[in-house]
Every structure is written in C-alpha cells, then in structure tokens.
Amino acid sequence: MSGDDRIALTARAVAFDWSALPVHWIPGEPFATHLLDVLHLLLPEGERWFVRVFGAALPLVRDPALAEDVRGFIGQEAMHASSHQGVLDHFAARGVDTSPYVRQVEWMFTQALGERDLTGDAAREWLVERVALIAAIEHVTAFLGQWVLDARALDAAGTDPTMLDLLRWHGAEEVEHRAVAHDLLVHLDSRYSRRVRALIPAVPILVRLWAQGVGFLLRRDPVPTRARWRDLRRAATLGLCPAFRPTLRAMAAYLRPGYHPSHYGSTDAAVAYLATSPAARAADERAA
C-alpha cells in the first residue's frame, strides 16, 4: 500500500496500565520526559474539541467517502483524548495536580474556541474557521506522529515501553488520518488564504502552551528545576524531541499552494506500527 492510498479509519479501543510508570520515563532525562508529557496536558481537552467541531461539521459534508473519513477521525480522536486522560489520572493518583494548567487549556477550547450565539452564515463561518484551525493543528500533529514513529533514539534511551507504545500508537493514527481535516476544510472552503491564515495563530499558541506546560511540570518534579534553552537543544541533539530545522521545514510546507497532507509522512509506516503495537493488537483481539 502506498502512502497515498485511502484506508478505512478505525477507532481502536486501546488500554494502558500506568501503575509501573516511572516519573522520568525516559531514564535520566527529566526535561525530555516532561517535554513530551505536555501532550497529556494538552490533548484530552484539545481532542474533545476536535470531536465537537467535526461533529457539528458532519451534516455539511456532501461527499459520502469524506463523511466516512470524518466519522473515523471523530472515533480515533475520542479514543486519543481518553487514553491521554488516563495518564493525567495517573499523575493525579501520585499527587501531581495538573488542574491549574488543564483549566487554562479547557477555557481556551470551551470558551475562546467554543460555540457562540450565532446563526445562519455567521455560525457557518465560525464553524469553518475552527475546522481551518484544526487542519493547521493536524499538520503539526501529523509531523509529530511521523517523528515519534521514526525516533529510534527513544528506544536507545530506554523509554518506558508502555508510554512509548501510547505515543507511537497515537502518532501512527495521526499519520493514518492526516488528510481528513485538510480535506474537510477544502470541501467547506477551498481558499488558500483560509487555510494558511489559520496556521499563523495556531503555531505560536501551541509553542506558548508547550513552553508553559514544560515549566509547569518541571516545577512539580521531585527534583524541581527550570526550563532552559540548552536543555531543549540537548534533547533535540540526542533525538529525544524533534530538531528545530526539520520542524521549521515541516511548518513551511503547509504554506505551499499545492500542499496536501498525503505528500508528507508514511501511511505504510503507520500501518506497520499499528500491526505490531501491543495496545492496538490487544484492542483488535478484544474486538474480535
């Protein structure tokens, strides 16, 4: 199967046991651990928002194949939110209160980006604007998904296998459904300006939230420390997070007039991992 082939999107009912998860699940790397731990703070509320927006957009879809993809996307994103929420619950069980940060994220997605008292064309415009934001964010998450699938440095560092499976299962599904938000946006509004302008606020907001999240988690580490640029550079050099230049190139790719997500990332790599993922295989066995 080539990377451009369309596949049916399946929501896999995965389950993870966090009882043995160490605080620094990348051994000896507190900064890199918390840099990736921010995903658990951001994603539950963010992906619940994706589900709400796409659910509202579904009645506007006139293409049956795209409607099927949107339903598959909704199912996968709902499962992602639930799975990362499980890590937050584990944090709470060991006495790490993430609610001050999570409340800010929740406000952004339920209030600033939530439903408004609009009707008619204004309501449709606000809905399409949020679909455009999701398409931009999905470009970022697809890039991160491909990165984590390829990041052999995480294996070499001794990353906790359950957490690594969560990250790669999620990353594989992000690569698997990477074109859905883009295709939905083009179906609703194909203007280049609409697509590109959504990336302009999305990336700085994500960067700011991520930086705040790393600082928040480091201050609650058993050995509190500050977030420093040199720690980020070191993690990137070791391959424990995406490097700056590939990230910048990936963001710039979104600005190309002929951009389509199927041109970036490997569906083959995503499907191959999902065939071997312990959590995904267990989910398939339960479903069977």
Side-chain angles (χ1 to χ4, degrees):
M1 180 176 65
S2 73
D4 292 338
D5 287 342
R6 181 177 178 275
I7 60 174
L9 300 175
T10 301
R12 300 166 180 89
V14 295
F16 300 93
D17 179 3
W18 302 116
S19 58
L21 183 72
V23 174
H24 302 148
W25 43 263
I26 306 177
E29 298 289 346
F31 182 87
T33 294
H34 295 316
L35 185 66
L36 298 181
D37 268 339
V38 175
L39 289 166
H40 313 306
L41 276 62
L42 286 173
L43 291 176
E45 289 299 331
E47 295 190 293
R48 290 175 190 131
W49 176 68
F50 288 7
V51 168
R52 292 193 296 271
V53 172
F54 272 48
L58 189 56
L60 303 179
V61 178
R62 300 175 302 278
D63 179 341
L66 178 58
E68 181 184 349
D69 286 344
V70 170
R71 284 189 287 268
F73 178 96
I74 289 172
Q76 288 190 340
E77 295 290 10
M79 198 65 227
H80 298 169
S82 175
S83 298
H84 287 279
Q85 182 64 50
V87 183
L88 283 187
D89 295 342
H90 169 72
F91 287 168
R94 63 178 174 86
V96 179
D97 180 14
T98 61
S99 61
Y101 180 91
V102 171
R103 278 196 298 268
Q104 297 180 52
V105 177
E106 182 180 8
W107 177 88
M108 183 177 70
F109 287 118
T110 60
Q111 301 299 316
L113 295 174
E115 295 300 320
R116 296 180 179 177
D117 188 18
L118 301 171
T119 59
D121 290 344
R124 188 185 191 282
E125 176 71 11
W126 177 232
L127 176 61
V128 176
E129 189 66 22
R130 289 180 292 163
V131 170
L133 279 170
I134 293 172
I137 295 169
E138 281 290 297
H139 175 68
V140 176
T141 59
F143 165 73
L144 293 175
Q146 188 65 52
W147 171 79
V148 78
L149 287 173
D150 296 337
R152 295 303 110 192
L154 291 173
D155 302 87
T159 301
D160 177 82
T162 303
M163 181 60 76
L164 190 54
D165 187 34
L166 167 66
L167 296 177
R168 286 187 172 150
W169 157 75
H170 186 169
E173 290 197 345
E174 291 297 327
V175 173
E176 195 178 44
H177 70 223
R178 66 192 181 279
V180 177
H182 174 87
D183 291 348
L184 176 60
L185 173 61
V186 171
H187 184 74
L188 299 175
D189 185 344
S190 61
R191 288 177 295 172
Y192 172 80
S193 59
R194 168 80 83 174
R195 173 171 66 81
V196 168
R197 79 172 185 229
L199 188 71
I200 296 170
V203 170
I205 289 170
L206 284 173
V207 169
R208 180 179 178 182
L209 285 171
W210 216 299
Q212 290 176 335
V214 173
F216 178 89
L217 290 169
L218 285 172
R219 289 191 296 273
R220 284 154 180 79
D221 191 278
V223 184
T225 186
R226 293 183 301 153
R228 300 172 299 185
W229 279 109
R230 68 183 184 187
D231 296 319
L232 179 60
R233 290 195 298 269
R234 178 178 177 276
T237 300
L238 293 174
L240 302 178
C241 72
F244 177 74
R245 287 184 180 177
T247 303
L248 190 61
R249 285 196 297 269
M251 297 308 102
Y254 196 75
L255 305 178
R256 295 173 182 166
Y259 166 84
H260 191 270
S262 64
H263 302 156
Y264 306 91
S266 170
T267 301
D268 289 349
V271 171
Y273 184 75
L274 291 169
T276 61
S277 159
R281 290 181 64 183
D284 289 342
E285 290 170 5
R286 287 192 296 270

